[in-house]
Amino acid sequence: MSSSNTIPNLGAVRPLKLDASGQDWVARILLLLTALFLIIFLLVPMSAMLLRAVQDNNGNFVGLLHFKEMLATPAIGTSIWNSVWVSAVTTIITVPLAFAFAYALTRSNMPFKSGFRLLALVPLLAPSLLSALSLIQWMGNQGIAKALLMGNSVYGPIGIILASVYNTFPHALMILITSLALADGRLYEAADSLKAGTIRKFFTVTLPGCKYGLISAATVVFIYVIADFGAPKVIGGNFNVLAVEVFKQVIGQQNFSRGAVIGLFLLLPSIISFLVDNNVRKKLKAQLSARSVAYVAKPNLKFDMLMLAYCTVIGLFFIAIIGMAIYTSLIALWPYNLSFTLKHYEFVLVEGDVAPAFFNSLKMSFMTAFFGTITVFITAYLLEKTKTWQGLKGSMHLLAMGSMAVPGIVLGLGYIMFFNSASNPLGFLYGSMAILVLANIVHYYTSSHLTAVTALKSIDDEFESVSASLKVPFYKTFFRVTVPVCLPAILDIGRYFFVVSMSTLSCIVFLYSPDTLLAAVAIMNLDEAGEIGPAAALACMSVYASFLVCVLYAAITKVWLAKTQRWRTR
């Protein structure tokens, strides 16, 4: 654009509205394709599972017969109760622990904050089975710390709760750190001027200010635990929960109709929790103010040392879990031969038949990161930055948010009902790498969608308006303005997709084939075969791979963003 061109009046420019007969017809096609994607790979499988729940195994309609039978079965009622109370107890334990940790990171001047925060996020890199394997080594029948259980067994609710606390802690922590970081410093200044004590400020300013964050963290933890399959499968023993019961019905007894009914039972509390969380998120937005002042913690040696001691205790718990897994992978045979060896890694990579599983997980994770990031960001752009087909976009946004309410094992069950059918033209996807990638994209869609939408909302709509007034195609604006500005968020979405795909088990446990066996499934199989050393080695390799990708990501993006984000420092 030459300097002689007249700059349009931005305030008078209307929001971008695509011309259906003009050059931006591509946007409408993309909008339809993304709508079809969400419908086919989220809504239709759930509908197929609902339909299967009212049919027998021959496809005959039986109404609510299966529901009546399942509710009349004592074991199912016990599984429902076990799932609910274990999830509730885990939530009651995890949220206060994570809140205190987040409080220490945001409201104190203790040393080593970055190190503690990084340590607390390590569980995100590990399969949920890793914590269960480590706890068995610590507190199992031959564990070195089993005396801590005072005669109780780790195989059952105690083990599930401890493993779930480890697995869900970082999820709650990230939410609570954000909530505490949004505090308005003016409120604390006013409280100080009124001579309010520390305890009074905590209960009258801090807790009310982050109550929505606490509720959101609680719902996220509850949904995660009630839908988790890995930890209960490894350390649950005879303690039945719904996620494991689904697996038994489908894989053990080939009873898909009953599996669908249990899946619906599992879906109900997740939907309720999601609706609560969604309502909380709407209210949370109203807490933000343009006049807010960032809270700055004041030095207090006694308080800072107390917070350091607390974070050290929590940090030792995380080190104990990941450290035991690494230790187990490096010794010959627990607890009889504790000599160090690499034979378990040799077995995994060379001698055994599980090496393809590890590389399949790598392949799937990279493909999920690549295609998932493109799909999520383009869809979010079409929803946020184009002004056409508002009714359709409202439904698409609801679908994008709704994927969070569908537990992974329920999503996988829905895929069986829909894709594993000879009459389905998409049936060729079942058992392929493609279905695994698609399942992961859909399962983790909501978090990535929220990241993309948040980044896009930070860009003024006038960029698109000016482009439209100058008759610049929307896709040129997208590649020349939107992508460079949102590059940090795009890279974060890609990293997130990779890490969660490397560790996932629930949503793919029904979908793999012998050619697409994944690391998480191989870990479960090795544990069932009593091969704890190789199982720990393979779990650790998944952590190493995710950690290496995160390190490479940090190194590459530091250079890349330094070039593309210079405008931020001008």
Side-chain angles (χ1 to χ4, degrees), residues 78-135:
T78 301
S79 296
I80 294 174
W81 169 242
N82 288 344
S83 295
V84 171
W85 81 258
V86 164
S87 300
V89 170
T90 302
T91 302
I92 292 171
I93 295 173
T94 304
V95 173
L97 290 176
F99 178 80
F101 202 95
Y103 193 84
L105 295 178
T106 58
R107 301 302 172 85
S108 76
N109 287 286
M110 71 173 196
F112 312 120
K113 284 186 180 181
S114 299
F116 280 115
R117 183 171 183 173
L118 180 62
L119 180 61
L121 297 179
V122 167
L124 293 175
L125 308 180
S128 62
L129 302 92
L130 182 143
S131 57
L133 291 171
S134 294
L135 286 168

Short mmCIF file of all heavy atoms in Angstrom, two decimals, residues 78-135:
data_model
loop_
_atom_site.label_atom_id
_atom_site.label_comp_id
_atom_site.label_asym_id
_atom_site.label_seq_id
_atom_site.Cartn_x
_atom_site.Cartn_y
_atom_site.Cartn_z
N THR A 78 -23.19 -50.28 42.85
CA THR A 78 -21.95 -50.09 43.62
C THR A 78 -20.92 -49.32 42.81
O THR A 78 -20.23 -48.43 43.35
CB THR A 78 -21.37 -51.47 44.01
OG1 THR A 78 -22.34 -52.18 44.78
CG2 THR A 78 -20.10 -51.30 44.82
N SER A 79 -20.80 -49.62 41.52
CA SER A 79 -19.84 -48.92 40.66
C SER A 79 -20.18 -47.44 40.56
O SER A 79 -19.29 -46.58 40.57
CB SER A 79 -19.79 -49.56 39.27
OG SER A 79 -19.32 -50.89 39.33
N ILE A 80 -21.49 -47.14 40.41
CA ILE A 80 -21.91 -45.74 40.33
C ILE A 80 -21.54 -45.00 41.60
O ILE A 80 -20.96 -43.90 41.58
CB ILE A 80 -23.42 -45.65 40.07
CG1 ILE A 80 -23.77 -46.21 38.69
CG2 ILE A 80 -23.91 -44.20 40.19
CD1 ILE A 80 -25.26 -46.30 38.42
N TRP A 81 -21.87 -45.62 42.76
CA TRP A 81 -21.57 -44.98 44.04
C TRP A 81 -20.06 -44.83 44.23
O TRP A 81 -19.58 -43.78 44.67
CB TRP A 81 -22.18 -45.79 45.17
CG TRP A 81 -21.73 -45.36 46.54
CD1 TRP A 81 -21.04 -46.10 47.45
CD2 TRP A 81 -21.93 -44.08 47.15
NE1 TRP A 81 -20.80 -45.38 48.58
CE2 TRP A 81 -21.33 -44.12 48.43
CE3 TRP A 81 -22.55 -42.90 46.74
CZ2 TRP A 81 -21.34 -43.04 49.31
CZ3 TRP A 81 -22.55 -41.81 47.60
CH2 TRP A 81 -21.96 -41.88 48.86
N ASN A 82 -19.29 -45.87 43.87
CA ASN A 82 -17.84 -45.80 44.01
C ASN A 82 -17.25 -44.67 43.16
O ASN A 82 -16.36 -43.93 43.62
CB ASN A 82 -17.21 -47.13 43.61
CG ASN A 82 -17.45 -48.23 44.62
OD1 ASN A 82 -17.83 -47.96 45.76
ND2 ASN A 82 -17.23 -49.47 44.22
N SER A 83 -17.72 -44.55 41.93
CA SER A 83 -17.21 -43.51 41.04
C SER A 83 -17.49 -42.12 41.60
O SER A 83 -16.63 -41.24 41.59
CB SER A 83 -17.84 -43.64 39.65
OG SER A 83 -17.45 -44.84 39.02
N VAL A 84 -18.71 -41.94 42.12
CA VAL A 84 -19.10 -40.62 42.62
C VAL A 84 -18.32 -40.24 43.87
O VAL A 84 -17.77 -39.14 43.97
CB VAL A 84 -20.62 -40.57 42.88
CG1 VAL A 84 -21.00 -39.27 43.59
CG2 VAL A 84 -21.39 -40.69 41.57
N TRP A 85 -18.26 -41.17 44.84
CA TRP A 85 -17.62 -40.76 46.10
C TRP A 85 -16.11 -40.67 45.98
O TRP A 85 -15.48 -39.80 46.61
CB TRP A 85 -18.05 -41.66 47.26
CG TRP A 85 -17.37 -42.99 47.43
CD1 TRP A 85 -17.86 -44.21 47.08
CD2 TRP A 85 -16.11 -43.25 48.06
NE1 TRP A 85 -16.99 -45.21 47.42
CE2 TRP A 85 -15.90 -44.66 48.05
CE3 TRP A 85 -15.13 -42.45 48.64
CZ2 TRP A 85 -14.77 -45.25 48.56
CZ3 TRP A 85 -13.99 -43.05 49.17
CH2 TRP A 85 -13.81 -44.43 49.13
N VAL A 86 -15.49 -41.50 45.15
CA VAL A 86 -14.04 -41.38 44.94
C VAL A 86 -13.72 -40.07 44.24
O VAL A 86 -12.76 -39.37 44.60
CB VAL A 86 -13.51 -42.58 44.14
CG1 VAL A 86 -12.12 -42.28 43.57
CG2 VAL A 86 -13.44 -43.82 45.01
N SER A 87 -14.53 -39.70 43.25
CA SER A 87 -14.33 -38.43 42.56
C SER A 87 -14.52 -37.25 43.51
O SER A 87 -13.77 -36.27 43.47
CB SER A 87 -15.30 -38.31 41.38
OG SER A 87 -15.10 -39.36 40.45
N ALA A 88 -15.53 -37.34 44.37
CA ALA A 88 -15.80 -36.27 45.32
C ALA A 88 -14.66 -36.12 46.33
O ALA A 88 -14.21 -35.01 46.62
CB ALA A 88 -17.12 -36.52 46.04
N VAL A 89 -14.19 -37.24 46.87
CA VAL A 89 -13.09 -37.20 47.84
C VAL A 89 -11.82 -36.64 47.20
O VAL A 89 -11.11 -35.82 47.79
CB VAL A 89 -12.83 -38.60 48.44
CG1 VAL A 89 -11.55 -38.61 49.26
CG2 VAL A 89 -14.01 -39.02 49.30
N THR A 90 -11.52 -37.10 45.98
CA THR A 90 -10.34 -36.58 45.27
C THR A 90 -10.45 -35.08 45.07
O THR A 90 -9.48 -34.34 45.24
CB THR A 90 -10.19 -37.28 43.91
OG1 THR A 90 -10.09 -38.69 44.10
CG2 THR A 90 -8.95 -36.78 43.19
N THR A 91 -11.64 -34.61 44.70
CA THR A 91 -11.86 -33.18 44.51
C THR A 91 -11.66 -32.41 45.81
O THR A 91 -11.01 -31.35 45.83
CB THR A 91 -13.28 -32.93 43.97
OG1 THR A 91 -13.46 -33.64 42.75
CG2 THR A 91 -13.51 -31.45 43.71
N ILE A 92 -12.20 -32.94 46.91
CA ILE A 92 -12.08 -32.29 48.21
C ILE A 92 -10.61 -32.21 48.66
O ILE A 92 -10.20 -31.25 49.31
CB ILE A 92 -12.92 -33.05 49.26
CG1 ILE A 92 -14.41 -32.88 48.96
CG2 ILE A 92 -12.62 -32.56 50.68
CD1 ILE A 92 -15.31 -33.76 49.81
N ILE A 93 -9.81 -33.20 48.29
CA ILE A 93 -8.39 -33.19 48.65
C ILE A 93 -7.58 -32.31 47.70
O ILE A 93 -6.75 -31.49 48.13
CB ILE A 93 -7.83 -34.63 48.65
CG1 ILE A 93 -8.49 -35.46 49.74
CG2 ILE A 93 -6.31 -34.62 48.83
CD1 ILE A 93 -8.11 -36.93 49.70
N THR A 94 -7.81 -32.46 46.40
CA THR A 94 -6.95 -31.82 45.41
C THR A 94 -7.12 -30.31 45.37
O THR A 94 -6.12 -29.57 45.33
CB THR A 94 -7.25 -32.40 44.01
OG1 THR A 94 -7.08 -33.81 44.03
CG2 THR A 94 -6.33 -31.79 42.97
N VAL A 95 -8.35 -29.83 45.38
CA VAL A 95 -8.58 -28.39 45.20
C VAL A 95 -7.96 -27.57 46.32
O VAL A 95 -7.26 -26.58 46.04
CB VAL A 95 -10.09 -28.10 45.04
CG1 VAL A 95 -10.34 -26.60 45.02
CG2 VAL A 95 -10.62 -28.74 43.75
N PRO A 96 -8.14 -27.91 47.61
CA PRO A 96 -7.45 -27.13 48.65
C PRO A 96 -5.93 -27.20 48.55
O PRO A 96 -5.24 -26.19 48.76
CB PRO A 96 -7.96 -27.77 49.95
CG PRO A 96 -9.26 -28.38 49.60
CD PRO A 96 -9.08 -28.88 48.20
N LEU A 97 -5.40 -28.40 48.23
CA LEU A 97 -3.95 -28.52 48.08
C LEU A 97 -3.44 -27.64 46.94
O LEU A 97 -2.42 -26.95 47.07
CB LEU A 97 -3.56 -29.98 47.84
CG LEU A 97 -3.72 -30.96 49.00
CD1 LEU A 97 -3.37 -32.37 48.55
CD2 LEU A 97 -2.86 -30.55 50.19
N ALA A 98 -4.13 -27.68 45.82
CA ALA A 98 -3.73 -26.87 44.67
C ALA A 98 -3.91 -25.38 44.95
O ALA A 98 -3.10 -24.55 44.50
CB ALA A 98 -4.53 -27.28 43.44
N PHE A 99 -4.96 -25.03 45.68
CA PHE A 99 -5.19 -23.62 46.01
C PHE A 99 -4.05 -23.08 46.88
O PHE A 99 -3.54 -21.98 46.64
CB PHE A 99 -6.52 -23.46 46.73
CG PHE A 99 -6.81 -22.04 47.14
CD1 PHE A 99 -7.30 -21.12 46.22
CD2 PHE A 99 -6.56 -21.61 48.44
CE1 PHE A 99 -7.54 -19.81 46.59
CE2 PHE A 99 -6.80 -20.30 48.81
CZ PHE A 99 -7.30 -19.40 47.88
N ALA A 100 -3.65 -23.84 47.89
CA ALA A 100 -2.55 -23.40 48.75
C ALA A 100 -1.26 -23.27 47.95
O ALA A 100 -0.47 -22.34 48.16
CB ALA A 100 -2.38 -24.39 49.91
N PHE A 101 -1.04 -24.20 47.02
CA PHE A 101 0.16 -24.14 46.17
C PHE A 101 0.11 -22.91 45.27
O PHE A 101 1.10 -22.19 45.13
CB PHE A 101 0.25 -25.41 45.34
CG PHE A 101 1.62 -25.74 44.85
CD1 PHE A 101 2.43 -26.62 45.55
CD2 PHE A 101 2.10 -25.20 43.67
CE1 PHE A 101 3.71 -26.94 45.10
CE2 PHE A 101 3.36 -25.50 43.21
CZ PHE A 101 4.18 -26.37 43.92
N ALA A 102 -1.05 -22.68 44.65
CA ALA A 102 -1.21 -21.50 43.79
C ALA A 102 -1.07 -20.21 44.60
O ALA A 102 -0.51 -19.21 44.13
CB ALA A 102 -2.57 -21.55 43.10
N TYR A 103 -1.58 -20.23 45.83
CA TYR A 103 -1.49 -19.07 46.71
C TYR A 103 -0.02 -18.76 47.01
O TYR A 103 0.40 -17.60 47.03
CB TYR A 103 -2.25 -19.34 48.00
CG TYR A 103 -2.49 -18.13 48.86
CD1 TYR A 103 -3.56 -17.27 48.63
CD2 TYR A 103 -1.63 -17.83 49.92
CE1 TYR A 103 -3.78 -16.15 49.41
CE2 TYR A 103 -1.83 -16.72 50.72
CZ TYR A 103 -2.91 -15.88 50.46
OH TYR A 103 -3.12 -14.78 51.24
N ALA A 104 0.75 -19.82 47.24
CA ALA A 104 2.17 -19.64 47.52
C ALA A 104 2.90 -19.04 46.31
O ALA A 104 3.78 -18.18 46.45
CB ALA A 104 2.80 -20.97 47.91
N LEU A 105 2.51 -19.48 45.11
CA LEU A 105 3.18 -19.00 43.90
C LEU A 105 2.80 -17.57 43.55
O LEU A 105 3.60 -16.85 42.93
CB LEU A 105 2.84 -19.92 42.72
CG LEU A 105 3.36 -21.36 42.79
CD1 LEU A 105 2.91 -22.14 41.57
CD2 LEU A 105 4.87 -21.40 42.93
N THR A 106 1.60 -17.14 43.92
CA THR A 106 1.12 -15.82 43.50
C THR A 106 1.11 -14.79 44.63
O THR A 106 1.13 -13.59 44.35
CB THR A 106 -0.31 -15.92 42.94
OG1 THR A 106 -1.17 -16.50 43.94
CG2 THR A 106 -0.35 -16.79 41.70
N ARG A 107 1.09 -15.22 45.88
CA ARG A 107 0.94 -14.27 46.99
C ARG A 107 2.12 -14.24 47.95
O ARG A 107 2.01 -13.68 49.04
CB ARG A 107 -0.34 -14.59 47.76
CG ARG A 107 -1.60 -14.54 46.92
CD ARG A 107 -1.78 -13.16 46.29
NE ARG A 107 -2.87 -13.14 45.34
CZ ARG A 107 -4.13 -12.94 45.67
NH1 ARG A 107 -4.47 -12.75 46.93
NH2 ARG A 107 -5.06 -12.90 44.73
N SER A 108 3.21 -14.86 47.59
CA SER A 108 4.39 -14.85 48.46
C SER A 108 5.61 -14.47 47.63
O SER A 108 5.57 -14.40 46.41
CB SER A 108 4.60 -16.22 49.11
OG SER A 108 5.14 -17.15 48.17
N ASN A 109 6.69 -14.21 48.36
CA ASN A 109 7.97 -13.93 47.72
C ASN A 109 8.98 -15.04 48.00
O ASN A 109 10.18 -14.81 48.11
CB ASN A 109 8.52 -12.59 48.22
CG ASN A 109 7.76 -11.42 47.65
OD1 ASN A 109 7.90 -11.06 46.48
ND2 ASN A 109 6.92 -10.81 48.48
N MET A 110 8.46 -16.26 48.12
CA MET A 110 9.35 -17.39 48.40
C MET A 110 10.26 -17.64 47.19
O MET A 110 9.91 -17.32 46.04
CB MET A 110 8.53 -18.64 48.69
CG MET A 110 7.83 -19.21 47.48
SD MET A 110 7.03 -20.79 47.84
CE MET A 110 6.73 -21.41 46.17
N PRO A 111 11.44 -18.22 47.42
CA PRO A 111 12.35 -18.52 46.30
C PRO A 111 11.90 -19.76 45.52
O PRO A 111 11.03 -20.52 45.96
CB PRO A 111 13.68 -18.78 47.01
CG PRO A 111 13.30 -19.26 48.38
CD PRO A 111 12.02 -18.53 48.73
N PHE A 112 12.49 -19.93 44.36
CA PHE A 112 12.32 -21.13 43.52
C PHE A 112 10.88 -21.29 43.01
O PHE A 112 10.42 -22.42 42.79
CB PHE A 112 12.74 -22.40 44.27
CG PHE A 112 14.06 -22.30 44.96
CD1 PHE A 112 14.14 -22.46 46.35
CD2 PHE A 112 15.22 -22.02 44.26
CE1 PHE A 112 15.35 -22.36 47.01
CE2 PHE A 112 16.44 -21.92 44.91
CZ PHE A 112 16.50 -22.09 46.29
N LYS A 113 10.17 -20.21 42.79
CA LYS A 113 8.79 -20.31 42.31
C LYS A 113 8.72 -21.03 40.97
O LYS A 113 7.86 -21.90 40.77
CB LYS A 113 8.17 -18.91 42.18
CG LYS A 113 7.77 -18.27 43.47
CD LYS A 113 7.04 -16.96 43.18
CE LYS A 113 6.61 -16.27 44.45
NZ LYS A 113 5.89 -15.00 44.15
N SER A 114 9.57 -20.65 40.04
CA SER A 114 9.53 -21.25 38.70
C SER A 114 9.79 -22.75 38.76
O SER A 114 9.14 -23.53 38.05
CB SER A 114 10.56 -20.58 37.79
OG SER A 114 10.28 -19.20 37.64
N GLY A 115 10.73 -23.16 39.62
CA GLY A 115 11.03 -24.58 39.74
C GLY A 115 9.87 -25.38 40.30
O GLY A 115 9.55 -26.46 39.81
N PHE A 116 9.21 -24.83 41.32
CA PHE A 116 8.06 -25.52 41.90
C PHE A 116 6.90 -25.60 40.91
O PHE A 116 6.21 -26.62 40.83
CB PHE A 116 7.61 -24.81 43.18
CG PHE A 116 8.43 -25.13 44.38
CD1 PHE A 116 9.19 -24.15 45.01
CD2 PHE A 116 8.48 -26.42 44.88
CE1 PHE A 116 9.97 -24.46 46.12
CE2 PHE A 116 9.24 -26.73 46.00
CZ PHE A 116 10.00 -25.74 46.61
N ARG A 117 6.69 -24.53 40.17
CA ARG A 117 5.60 -24.55 39.19
C ARG A 117 5.87 -25.58 38.10
O ARG A 117 4.97 -26.31 37.70
CB ARG A 117 5.43 -23.16 38.58
CG ARG A 117 4.27 -23.06 37.61
CD ARG A 117 4.00 -21.64 37.21
NE ARG A 117 2.84 -21.56 36.33
CZ ARG A 117 2.28 -20.41 35.93
NH1 ARG A 117 2.77 -19.26 36.36
NH2 ARG A 117 1.25 -20.41 35.12
N LEU A 118 7.10 -25.65 37.64
CA LEU A 118 7.45 -26.63 36.61
C LEU A 118 7.29 -28.04 37.14
O LEU A 118 6.76 -28.93 36.46
CB LEU A 118 8.90 -26.40 36.16
CG LEU A 118 9.44 -27.35 35.08
CD1 LEU A 118 8.64 -27.22 33.80
CD2 LEU A 118 10.92 -27.08 34.83
N LEU A 119 7.69 -28.28 38.38
CA LEU A 119 7.57 -29.60 38.98
C LEU A 119 6.12 -30.01 39.12
O LEU A 119 5.76 -31.18 38.88
CB LEU A 119 8.25 -29.60 40.36
CG LEU A 119 8.23 -30.91 41.15
CD1 LEU A 119 8.96 -32.01 40.38
CD2 LEU A 119 8.86 -30.73 42.52
N ALA A 120 5.25 -29.07 39.48
CA ALA A 120 3.84 -29.38 39.66
C ALA A 120 3.14 -29.69 38.35
O ALA A 120 2.06 -30.31 38.35
CB ALA A 120 3.13 -28.21 40.35
N LEU A 121 3.73 -29.28 37.23
CA LEU A 121 3.11 -29.53 35.93
C LEU A 121 3.61 -30.82 35.28
O LEU A 121 3.13 -31.21 34.21
CB LEU A 121 3.37 -28.35 34.99
CG LEU A 121 2.75 -27.01 35.41
CD1 LEU A 121 3.11 -25.92 34.40
CD2 LEU A 121 1.24 -27.11 35.55
N VAL A 122 4.57 -31.50 35.91
CA VAL A 122 5.13 -32.74 35.36
C VAL A 122 4.06 -33.81 35.12
O VAL A 122 4.13 -34.54 34.12
CB VAL A 122 6.25 -33.28 36.27
CG1 VAL A 122 6.62 -34.72 35.90
CG2 VAL A 122 7.48 -32.39 36.17
N PRO A 123 3.04 -33.97 36.01
CA PRO A 123 2.03 -35.01 35.75
C PRO A 123 1.31 -34.87 34.41
O PRO A 123 0.77 -35.85 33.90
CB PRO A 123 1.04 -34.83 36.91
CG PRO A 123 1.87 -34.28 38.02
CD PRO A 123 2.87 -33.37 37.34
N LEU A 124 1.30 -33.67 33.84
CA LEU A 124 0.66 -33.49 32.54
C LEU A 124 1.39 -34.29 31.45
O LEU A 124 0.78 -34.65 30.44
CB LEU A 124 0.64 -32.01 32.15
CG LEU A 124 -0.24 -31.09 33.00
CD1 LEU A 124 -0.06 -29.65 32.55
CD2 LEU A 124 -1.70 -31.48 32.91
N LEU A 125 2.67 -34.56 31.67
CA LEU A 125 3.47 -35.25 30.66
C LEU A 125 3.36 -36.76 30.76
O LEU A 125 3.81 -37.48 29.86
CB LEU A 125 4.95 -34.86 30.80
CG LEU A 125 5.29 -33.37 30.83
CD1 LEU A 125 6.80 -33.19 30.98
CD2 LEU A 125 4.78 -32.66 29.59
N ALA A 126 2.79 -37.25 31.86
CA ALA A 126 2.82 -38.70 32.13
C ALA A 126 1.47 -39.34 31.89
O ALA A 126 0.43 -38.73 32.16
CB ALA A 126 3.27 -38.94 33.57
N PRO A 127 1.46 -40.60 31.42
CA PRO A 127 0.20 -41.35 31.37
C PRO A 127 -0.36 -41.52 32.78
O PRO A 127 0.40 -41.59 33.76
CB PRO A 127 0.62 -42.70 30.77
CG PRO A 127 1.95 -42.46 30.13
CD PRO A 127 2.60 -41.37 30.92
N SER A 128 -1.68 -41.59 32.89
CA SER A 128 -2.29 -41.72 34.21
C SER A 128 -1.89 -43.02 34.90
O SER A 128 -1.98 -43.14 36.12
CB SER A 128 -3.81 -41.64 34.10
OG SER A 128 -4.33 -42.69 33.30
N LEU A 129 -1.42 -44.00 34.13
CA LEU A 129 -0.99 -45.27 34.71
C LEU A 129 0.32 -45.15 35.47
O LEU A 129 0.61 -45.96 36.36
CB LEU A 129 -0.81 -46.34 33.61
CG LEU A 129 -2.02 -46.66 32.74
CD1 LEU A 129 -2.04 -45.81 31.49
CD2 LEU A 129 -2.03 -48.13 32.36
N LEU A 130 1.15 -44.13 35.14
CA LEU A 130 2.46 -44.01 35.77
C LEU A 130 2.33 -43.81 37.27
O LEU A 130 3.05 -44.44 38.05
CB LEU A 130 3.24 -42.85 35.15
CG LEU A 130 4.66 -42.62 35.69
CD1 LEU A 130 5.60 -42.20 34.56
CD2 LEU A 130 4.69 -41.55 36.79
N SER A 131 1.41 -42.96 37.71
CA SER A 131 1.25 -42.71 39.14
C SER A 131 0.78 -43.98 39.85
O SER A 131 1.22 -44.28 40.97
CB SER A 131 0.25 -41.58 39.38
OG SER A 131 -1.00 -41.87 38.78
N ALA A 132 -0.09 -44.75 39.20
CA ALA A 132 -0.56 -45.99 39.80
C ALA A 132 0.58 -47.00 39.94
O ALA A 132 0.72 -47.67 40.98
CB ALA A 132 -1.70 -46.58 38.96
N LEU A 133 1.42 -47.12 38.92
CA LEU A 133 2.56 -48.03 38.99
C LEU A 133 3.51 -47.63 40.11
O LEU A 133 4.01 -48.49 40.86
CB LEU A 133 3.31 -48.03 37.65
CG LEU A 133 2.59 -48.67 36.45
CD1 LEU A 133 3.36 -48.39 35.17
CD2 LEU A 133 2.40 -50.16 36.66
N SER A 134 3.77 -46.33 40.25
CA SER A 134 4.68 -45.86 41.29
C SER A 134 4.12 -46.12 42.68
O SER A 134 4.85 -46.52 43.60
CB SER A 134 4.95 -44.36 41.11
OG SER A 134 5.66 -44.12 39.92
N LEU A 135 2.83 -45.90 42.85
CA LEU A 135 2.21 -46.12 44.16
C LEU A 135 2.24 -47.59 44.56
O LEU A 135 2.37 -47.92 45.74
CB LEU A 135 0.78 -45.60 44.16
CG LEU A 135 0.63 -44.07 44.18
CD1 LEU A 135 -0.80 -43.66 43.88
CD2 LEU A 135 1.07 -43.51 45.54
#
